[in-house]
Amino acid sequence: MPILLPFHKSILEEIHDPATSDLLILARGLGLRRTICTLMQIYDSKQSLILLLNASPEEETAIGDELGIMGCRRPGLRIVGYEMGKRDRQDLYKNGGLISVTSRILIVDMLQSDIPTELITGLIVLHAEKVTALSLEAFIVRLYREKNKAGFLKAFSDQPEHITSGMSPLKNIMKELQLRRVHIYPRFHEDVKNTLETRKADVIELYQRLTEPMEAIHHAIVQCMTITLSELKRSNKTLELDDLNVESAYFRSFDAVVRRQLDPVWHKVGPRTKQLVGDLATLRRLLTYLLSYDALAFHAYLETLVASNTTSVTGAAKQHQSPWMLTDAANIIFSTAKRRCYVLTAPKPTSSVPESQVIDVDDEDAWAALDEAHGLTGSNSRDNGKKKEEKKPWVPDNMSPVLEELPKWDLLADVLQEIEEELMRQEAVSTRPPTRGTNTVLVMTSSPRSSTLVSEFLGEMDGTAQKGSRGRSMMERKLRTYLYWKGQNARQKQPRYQQPPRFSAPQSQSSQPEGENSEALKRKDKTRQERSANRRRVRGGAPMTVAPSKPAVVDPKVESRDDGDDIAAFLASQPSDLLVSSDADALLLETLLSSEAEIDFDTHYGLLVPSQMVVVRAYTDDTDDQILAELQPRFIVMFEPNLDFVRRIEVYRNSNPGMGVRVYFMVYQLCCEEHKYLAGLRREKESFEKLIRERGSMLLPIFEDKHAGKSDAVIKTISTRLAGGRKELSTVPSQVIVDMREFRSTLPSLLHASGLLVIPATLTVGDYILTPDICVERKSIPDLVASFNSGRLYTQCELMSVHYKQPVLLIEFEENKSFSLETVAESAKSYAKPTSKYPAKKSTGPTDSDRAPPSIQSKLVLLMLHFPRVRIIWSSSPYGTADIFNDLKANAFEPDPNRAIAIGAEEDTEAGAGINAAAEELLRCLPGVTAKNVKYVMNKIGSVRELCELDRKGVQDILGVEPGNACYDFMHRGERKTGSS
């Protein structure tokens, strides 16, 4: 059971009272889940109904496990999922206890009165920073407070950065949750500070410098980010982009901030601006991958970036290329990343001078042969203690593998060696093992990929090798996989009729003289390069803008293509057993065999002593607290810095007073990793300070019942035909029938807020039923495109046209986004007229516009031609849609939910009662029977048997001549066969 620290107890004392509703904002890493579980343990009772909202499936599982450890097992936390039926949910709600339910299920149950809202004891809302006026949680709180004034609501958040954007964000959240009390606990809070500074862990900070190639790449990437940001600001001077800088670009939220700034004018900006926004995200990922990927994986990722930047989806040259790839800094990135992996040397030219006259002082093989002749093989004086590595047979002759390793790998190996020596020293000094904690070493990384890479390095590390080459075997294995991947890509790019080119260095002897062979190869390579260069000049648009006065920059695409051709030729000339298998199973089998895991099963798969375990794990959320509590490690290595985990270690150290904890904090010095850590710390501090200031000056909202005191709630103007336009009393409230699937959107919440009664139902036709005659099919822009592509929209419009007098297609745009279906560039491009002065050139083939599918506008026109009665309503946002619905419902009758659910039946309310559904389904399957005439056929016959007993004339009288013949022939086909036989 987790131990509560003093500041945890003070928090619980303030928020545990069921008579109050509170919002708690706690700094990440200080044990928010521990606080929530303790609070739920206090409320756990069969006489109370506690609902947990906004929890992810992983959080539900973790909270349920922790509650089980704390003793809440009978029945504990129950999870309501989509597989649970309506009756089961009703029984679960009546039994009470702790229940976790999704917002979408709960809102439907509250609207259908499946849950006794007035009997709910309280709601616990996680991730309060996500609550907005459009969220389902705000809808739930409104319904909850309409029928339950006494229940409590506890909201929690550990993301203060998300509550600082916009005008009065804290006030807006408290308004939507209808709260009046907020508690803010940052790391510098007095109670937290006094508690965590009582016992401090032994922290060893290790600052590692980058290698020179990594520093060059890092500087070049930052330079590209600066250029891209300045270009983005220059091309959008009307927007407030002054706050955007390279430091803020280190975080993922930067992409969302930039996109949110550009969303209102997204339809006005050109493709260049959109390319710049995408480039910023790409460069931010490059900074992260430089420090976490190995050299080969980073180089391979750069090559995929080059390929995707120069070639479009259709295979043609890309028109709008990334501007940063045309800079000198990009050339530094690509060339240096390649040099970190391998170096290509030119093949030695053949000469007429005899070999005996060529003197090469750097030829190690010649010196070794000379030493052996003089009997000096044991001294190895020429190597100076360095052992020359033998060249692998699968490495091309002109390739020298460099295989630079990450600097932190050697640092990690030294740290683990120090920990092992410390454990041996402690065992020698004290014979009694420590009472608390284990000798398990916990290594924490930033991502699962980094964890896998560190695990591979530790598993294949050569402890006797010198620094910088301890992971040589792992890197050689990755190089072998990389060469195979590179060769396969080059082989796929070549035309089928063209033979793969020979490698530049001769690999085998042939009857043809070597000089003639090399000359032929040179001519062939030169011809191929000229042809590809001409093709690139014709198709590519961006390279033509480079000024000829600038010095020539090596095109990384040309380099990578030539390397790929050479590697493909080399692999083709080698035996098949040297190639890396493309089959994943064969590769796995090769790995298992090379590790010699079959020699001793118990050694590799048996139980390990905790002192011999090194657990490598990625940072997650509050689950890390549970990992620390279970493993009880005394040595923790933070391979990459993380602010949240530093605080988790502080809480873990103070929760175990008798345990000595040593933490190795590893960080790259003078790079984005250190800057990002410090910037994150500063951002969180400033966010908390802003929240504290807002709380001090915030005007608390006064909540009132919107439905109370409205005298005109049941009065409605039915028609102007009434004398004087007088008002007539209506006992039916203004309501709208909403399909169950629509509760994923924000519109039902806004309809309820506007005063309409929302009735959830499973509708076959339409999404919203406003009146008996008006049926609305709502489509967002992505849904509209998907419905056109699948053909679903045609069927939906056909059903609405059959069953409703006024079918409506509502096309809804998102709030604060462009109210346009196409960009300015797209609309201007299609209406350009060629003049007679400059006639258009004849195209050699279809253009990109010819290959592109029809536009949304043309599809909408075809849809209107097929269904003239369907009306299209354009809405700029869900707020506008709510106003449109209220206007459409004015002076109209209210819809009937029963009829809307059973749509397709006759206007008679008794139609459909007592009908065998299976027989009706069988009748619909017969030829000639359609959805339009099935009700007519059912009124004419009493059963399917009666239809089968009719003669041809009788079937024709019901269905018509041609449909009747088809149906009669289908039903009596077997009888004719029997008669003929």
Side-chain angles (χ1 to χ4, degrees):
M1 179 176 177
I3 300 175
L4 292 177
L5 298 178
F7 75 88
H8 290 145
K9 295 178 181 178
S10 62
I11 291 174
L12 290 172
E13 288 176 359
E14 291 184 351
I15 67 174
H16 82 283
D17 189 2
T20 62
S21 297
D22 308 89
L23 170 63
L24 174 64
I25 303 176
L26 186 66
R28 288 186 302 277
L30 295 183
L32 179 63
R33 183 175 296 172
R34 182 183 307 186
T35 306
I36 295 173
C37 291
T38 307
L39 190 66
M40 295 178 70
Q41 183 189 20
I42 296 173
Y43 295 147
D44 185 22
S45 173
K46 291 185 178 181
Q47 285 73 34
S48 61
L49 177 57
I50 309 297
L51 300 180
L52 178 66
L53 294 179
N54 226 8
S56 64
E58 294 79 10
E59 290 174 333
E60 289 176 340
T61 304
I63 292 175
D65 294 342
E66 192 158 344
L67 285 173
I69 296 174
M70 297 169 67
C72 300
R73 299 189 183 93
R74 298 182 181 177
L77 180 66
R78 274 79 51 81
I79 299 175
V80 176
Y82 294 104
E83 67 279 356
M84 185 176 291
K86 180 177 180 179
R87 190 65 57 85
D88 296 335
R89 293 201 304 269
Q90 292 176 351
D91 297 338
L92 187 63
Y93 295 144
K94 292 177 182 177
N95 293 331
L98 305 176
I99 299 174
S100 177
V101 58
T102 62
S103 300
R104 185 181 167 200
I105 293 177
L106 181 60
I107 197 67
V108 173
D109 289 344
M110 295 178 77
L111 290 172
Q112 292 183 334
S113 300
D114 290 336
I115 181 173
T117 307
E118 62 279 356
L119 299 181
I120 296 177
T121 307
L123 300 179
I124 297 178
V125 182
L126 305 184
H127 304 292
E129 72 278 356
K130 298 181 180 179
V131 176
T132 61
L134 300 177
S135 62
L136 287 179
E137 289 75 25
F139 193 5
I140 290 173
V141 172
R142 286 200 304 270
L143 294 176
Y144 176 57
R145 288 308 182 193
E146 283 179 5
K147 298 182 179 179
N148 193 332
K149 304 291 185 182
F152 67 83
L153 190 145
K154 310 289 184 183
F156 300 91
S157 174
D158 59 354
Q159 301 285 339
E161 297 89 352
H162 291 76
I163 318 179
T164 55
S165 59
M167 292 292 293
S168 302
L170 181 61
K171 178 184 175 182
N172 295 333
I173 291 177
M174 297 183 66
K175 177 184 176 182
E176 298 303 328
L177 294 176
Q178 300 190 17
L179 299 174
R180 297 179 64 85
R181 294 179 51 181
V182 58
H183 309 281
I184 302 176
Y185 278 82
R187 172 62 178 83
F188 54 85
H189 192 279
E190 190 67 24
D191 294 342
V192 180
K193 186 177 179 182
N194 294 336
T195 301
L196 297 183
E197 290 184 356
T198 303
R199 303 180 184 90
K200 295 184 179 180
D202 181 16
V203 180
I204 301 176
E205 297 182 357
L206 302 173
Y207 291 94
Q208 176 68 45
R209 292 292 298 262
L210 296 175
T211 61
E212 291 185 5
M214 292 178 69
E215 285 183 352
I217 295 175
H218 183 276
H219 178 71
I221 294 176
V222 173
Q223 185 178 354
C224 290
M225 293 180 72
T226 306
I227 294 173
T228 307
L229 262 176
S230 60
E231 184 67 21
L232 182 63
K233 293 179 181 179
R234 188 186 63 81
S235 57
N236 298 274
K237 296 181 179 180
T238 58
L239 300 179
E240 298 180 0
L241 302 177
D242 297 335
D243 296 336
L244 303 181
N245 49 35
V246 176
E247 182 180 287
S248 61
Y250 291 153
F251 301 92
R252 291 183 180 179
S253 59
F254 176 80
D255 305 337
V257 171
V258 174
R259 184 60 194 266
R260 188 166 58 243
Q261 292 274 0
L262 294 173
D263 269 341
V265 293
W266 191 251
H267 62 294
K268 296 181 181 179
V269 300
R272 182 179 179 82
T273 300
K274 296 180 180 179
Q275 183 68 49
L276 291 174
V277 174
D279 290 343
L280 286 174
T282 302
L283 291 170
R284 177 179 53 79
R285 286 194 297 268
L286 277 181
L287 275 179
T288 305
Y289 296 163
L290 173 66
L291 305 181
S292 58
Y293 281 17
D294 60 86
L296 289 166
F298 183 74
H299 180 50
Y301 180 73
L302 287 177
E303 289 183 335
T304 57
L305 284 182
V306 172
S308 62
N309 183 66
T310 54
T311 308
S312 63
V313 180
T314 58
K318 195 172 181 179
Q319 296 297 324
H320 303 287
Q321 299 184 6
S322 299
W324 70 271
M325 286 196 177
L326 305 177
T327 61
D328 294 337
N331 182 44
I332 295 175
I333 295 174
F334 292 110
S335 59
T336 310
K338 180 180 175 182
R339 287 200 302 270
R340 291 178 65 205
C341 303
Y342 55 84
V343 176
L344 293 179
T345 58
K348 296 180 181 179
T350 57
S351 176
S352 58
V353 182
E355 289 292 335
S356 58
Q357 297 181 8
V358 178
I359 302 175
D360 186 5
V361 296
D362 294 329
D363 193 349
E364 299 291 344
D365 294 335
W367 282 107
L370 185 62
D371 291 341
E372 185 178 359
H374 288 278
L376 300 176
T377 56
S379 62
N380 200 9
S381 58
R382 294 293 304 175
D383 279 347
N384 294 327
K386 296 182 180 180
K387 184 170 59 178
K388 181 174 177 62
E389 298 180 0
E390 58 179 6
K391 194 174 185 64
K392 302 294 182 181
W394 42 265
V395 177
D397 289 343
N398 68 336
M399 177 182 289
S400 300
V402 178
L403 303 180
E404 181 184 84
E405 300 180 6
L406 293 179
K408 277 189 180 179
W409 291 354
D410 287 326
L411 187 60
L412 177 62
D414 295 339
V415 166
L416 293 179
Q417 180 67 24
E418 179 182 333
I419 292 175
E420 185 176 356
E421 294 174 356
E422 177 68 19
L423 291 176
M424 295 174 62
R425 187 187 63 82
Q426 291 179 359
E427 290 178 359
V429 172
S430 175
T431 57
R432 187 176 62 180
T435 56
R436 304 198 65 174
T438 62
N439 293 333
T440 301
V441 181
L442 179 62
V443 180
M444 300 299 294
T445 62
S446 61
S447 64
R449 182 175 182 123
S450 297
S451 300
T452 305
L453 190 61
V454 170
S455 300
E456 291 180 0
F457 170 74
L458 295 178
E460 303 180 28
M461 179 180 63
D462 184 7
T464 60
Q466 60 180 353
K467 287 187 176 183
S469 59
R470 293 177 178 175
R472 187 75 178 184
S473 60
M474 180 190 73
M475 294 301 294
E476 286 178 349
R477 176 172 54 83
K478 290 182 177 294
L479 175 62
R480 187 177 180 185
T481 307
Y482 168 80
L483 291 178
Y484 177 79
W485 170 76
K486 193 76 176 292
Q488 288 294 103
N489 286 348
R491 196 173 293 121
Q492 291 174 3
K493 291 179 183 178
Q494 292 173 357
R496 295 186 177 181
Y497 58 83
Q498 181 179 350
Q499 297 293 329
R502 290 288 181 185
F503 199 73
S504 54
Q507 296 294 330
S508 58
Q509 297 180 355
S510 60
S511 58
Q512 189 177 3
E514 188 174 353
E516 296 178 9
N517 189 18
S518 60
E519 288 296 329
L521 282 175
K522 288 180 180 178
R523 287 195 301 270
K524 187 175 182 181
D525 289 343
K526 184 177 180 181
T527 304
R528 187 179 69 250
Q529 290 177 3
E530 290 177 355
R531 189 187 305 117
S532 61
N534 292 333
R535 182 167 61 250
R536 189 167 59 253
R537 283 196 296 270
V538 170
R539 293 182 181 176
M544 297 296 293
T545 60
V546 181
S549 59
K550 292 185 177 181
V553 178
V554 180
D555 188 356
K557 180 178 182 249
V558 177
E559 279 195 354
S560 62
R561 186 192 65 243
D562 291 343
D563 293 350
D565 293 341
D566 293 343
I567 292 172
F570 172 75
L571 295 179
S573 64
Q574 298 299 316
S576 59
D577 56 351
L578 291 179
L579 301 179
V580 179
S581 175
S582 61
D583 190 2
D585 295 335
L587 186 60
L588 177 62
L589 179 61
E590 181 184 355
T591 305
L592 291 176
L593 293 178
S594 62
S595 63
E596 299 180 354
E598 73 281 5
I599 297 177
D600 191 353
F601 183 84
D602 293 334
T603 302
H604 294 273
Y605 295 98
L607 294 176
L608 295 176
V609 182
S611 60
Q612 300 176 358
M613 286 177 56
V614 177
V615 179
V616 184
R617 180 179 169 84
Y619 299 116
T620 55
D621 50 5
D622 286 342
T623 309
D624 291 341
D625 293 331
Q626 189 175 356
I627 296 298
L628 289 172
E630 290 178 358
L631 293 179
Q632 295 279 315
R634 295 194 295 122
F635 297 95
I636 302 173
V637 180
M638 295 182 64
F639 190 74
E640 285 148 328
N642 184 273
L643 177 62
D644 306 346
F645 198 76
V646 171
R647 289 162 182 172
R648 299 188 200 282
I649 294 176
E650 291 179 330
V651 175
Y652 166 69
R653 174 67 182 89
N654 285 271
S655 300
N656 300 274
M659 182 191 306
V661 180
R662 179 181 295 181
V663 181
Y664 292 90
F665 187 82
M666 302 168 60
V667 61
Y668 284 119
Q669 193 175 13
L670 301 177
C671 73
C672 67
E673 189 174 77
E674 183 181 10
H675 299 161
K676 182 178 179 181
Y677 176 77
L678 297 176
L681 186 63
R682 184 168 55 252
R683 284 180 63 195
E684 188 193 63
K685 182 175 179 293
E686 293 173 353
S687 301
F688 270 116
E689 291 175 349
K690 184 176 179 180
L691 289 175
I692 293 172
R693 287 195 299 267
E694 184 181 351
R695 182 182 62 175
S697 61
M698 181 174 57
L699 297 176
L700 296 177
I702 299 176
F703 305 108
E704 59 180 357
D705 191 359
K706 297 182 180 180
H707 298 279
K710 288 189 177 181
S711 58
D712 292 343
V714 293
I715 297 177
K716 181 173 54 177
T717 302
I718 296 298
S719 176
T720 56
R721 289 179 294 177
L722 296 174
R726 68 180 185 273
K727 293 182 179 180
E728 185 175 296
L729 199 63
S730 175
T731 58
V732 180
S734 185
Q735 62 188 20
V736 58
I737 304 172
V738 183
D739 186 37
M740 294 282 195
R741 294 173 287 271
E742 279 298 306
F743 283 92
R744 284 175 284 193
S745 66
T746 59
L747 184 55
S749 175
L750 293 178
L751 293 177
H752 179 268
S754 66
L756 294 176
L757 177 62
V758 177
I759 301 177
T762 304
L763 300 179
T764 307
V765 179
D767 294 331
Y768 298 86
I769 310 299
L770 305 184
T771 69
D773 297 332
I774 300 179
C775 173
V776 179
E777 181 72 30
R778 189 190 72 89
K779 295 291 181 186
S780 61
I781 299 303
D783 192 19
L784 180 68
V785 175
S787 299
F788 269 127
N789 293 336
S790 64
R792 189 174 73 250
L793 185 58
Y794 183 92
T795 305
Q796 291 169 341
C797 291
E798 182 180 20
L799 291 175
M800 287 195 301
S801 301
V802 169
H803 295 292
Y804 288 95
K805 295 181 181 178
Q806 298 177 14
V808 175
L809 174 62
L810 173 72
I811 301 177
E812 185 181 87
F813 290 78
E814 294 185 30
E815 182 75 10
N816 298 325
K817 286 198 174 182
S818 59
F819 190 34
S820 173
L821 273 181
E822 63 179 356
T823 62
V824 174
E826 291 173 349
S827 59
K829 176 175 59 178
S830 56
Y831 296 107
K833 272 189 174 183
T835 60
S836 58
K837 185 177 181 181
Y838 299 102
K841 295 181 180 180
K842 294 183 179 180
S843 59
T844 56
T847 61
D848 287 345
S849 58
D850 297 334
R851 297 191 191 98
S855 64
I856 294 295
Q857 290 86 340
S858 60
K859 293 181 180 179
L860 281 173
V861 171
L862 291 176
L863 188 71
M864 293 300 99
L865 292 176
H866 279 82
F867 305 103
R869 288 199 298 116
V870 173
R871 298 291 180 258
I872 295 182
I873 294 180
W874 302 84
S875 177
S876 59
S877 68
Y879 290 100
T881 304
D883 296 336
I884 292 172
F885 279 10
N886 280 285
D887 294 339
L888 291 176
K889 286 184 63 63
N891 306 329
F893 294 98
E894 298 301 329
D896 182 12
N898 295 327
R899 182 180 178 276
I901 294 174
I903 198 66
E906 298 291 334
E907 293 298 326
D908 184 10
T909 56
E910 297 297 326
I915 292 179
N916 189 346
E920 181 181 358
E921 188 66 24
L922 174 61
L923 188 64
R924 289 175 181 269
C925 296
L926 295 178
V929 180
T930 62
K932 296 181 180 181
N933 62 4
V934 63
K935 298 301 179 183
Y936 175 77
V937 176
M938 292 170 61
N939 290 334
K940 291 294 184 180
I941 60 175
S943 64
V944 180
R945 181 186 182 92
E946 182 178 343
L947 178 64
C948 296
E949 292 176 352
L950 292 176
D951 56 0
R952 185 182 294 270
K953 183 67 169 58
V955 178
Q956 289 178 349
D957 292 340
I958 297 176
L959 297 177
V961 179
E962 291 299 331
N965 287 331
C967 183
Y968 185 84
D969 294 341
F970 176 78
M971 292 187 296
H972 298 277
R973 184 175 302 168
E975 295 180 1
R976 290 205 305 271
K977 288 184 179 180
T978 305
S980 61
S981 60

